[in-house]
Amino acid sequence: MALLKDLLAQRAALDQQISETKERERADAINKVKSLMSEYGLTLADLNSRPAKAAKTTTKVAAKYRNQATGETWSGRGLQPKWLKAAIAGGAKLDDFHV
């Protein structure tokens, strides 16, 4: 069975190996990136620029329900608006507001 001192020494050695390997792999990655940048003529500005996003085309949904008193509308999608909930709670029917 290993003693605590032995395990701590092994841990310290592993931490050192991890640190060295991390630094070496990081340096290799930096060299690869620099090589690719020079090969393709890229600059830091090229890396920081973002490609243009495609414009989303959204269409407005036609209103299906209208409050005649206030002119408020609801498309029938999502949660019911407060004005419609209140009217239904007051005894009105959903069909009463249909456009």
Side-chain angles (χ1 to χ4, degrees):
M1 181 184 254
L3 295 174
L4 180 60
K5 284 194 306 186
D6 296 336
L7 292 174
L8 290 173
Q10 287 176 359
R11 179 175 160 187
L14 282 174
D15 287 342
Q16 180 64 28
Q17 283 181 325
I18 289 170
S19 176
E20 291 171 358
T21 303
K22 199 181 280 188
E23 288 177 22
R24 185 179 61 249
E25 287 180 0
R26 186 174 189 274
D28 290 344
I30 290 171
N31 289 333
K32 284 180 186 178
V33 169
K34 285 181 179 179
S35 172
L36 287 171
M37 287 177 69
S38 66
E39 182 179 339
Y40 291 99
L42 300 173
T43 64
L44 287 178
D46 294 330
L47 297 179
N48 290 329
S49 66
R50 295 183 179 183
K53 292 184 179 179
K56 289 186 177 181
T57 56
T58 58
T59 57
K60 193 168 186 174
V61 179
K64 292 184 182 179
Y65 304 97
R66 179 181 317 263
N67 185 347
Q68 295 298 328
T70 63
E72 295 173 298
T73 60
W74 179 50
S75 66
R77 294 185 178 181
L79 297 174
Q80 286 182 344
K82 291 179 183 178
W83 63 265
L84 186 57
K85 283 184 180 181
I88 292 172
K93 294 181 181 176
L94 184 62
D95 290 336
D96 297 339
F97 300 97
H98 199 274
V99 176

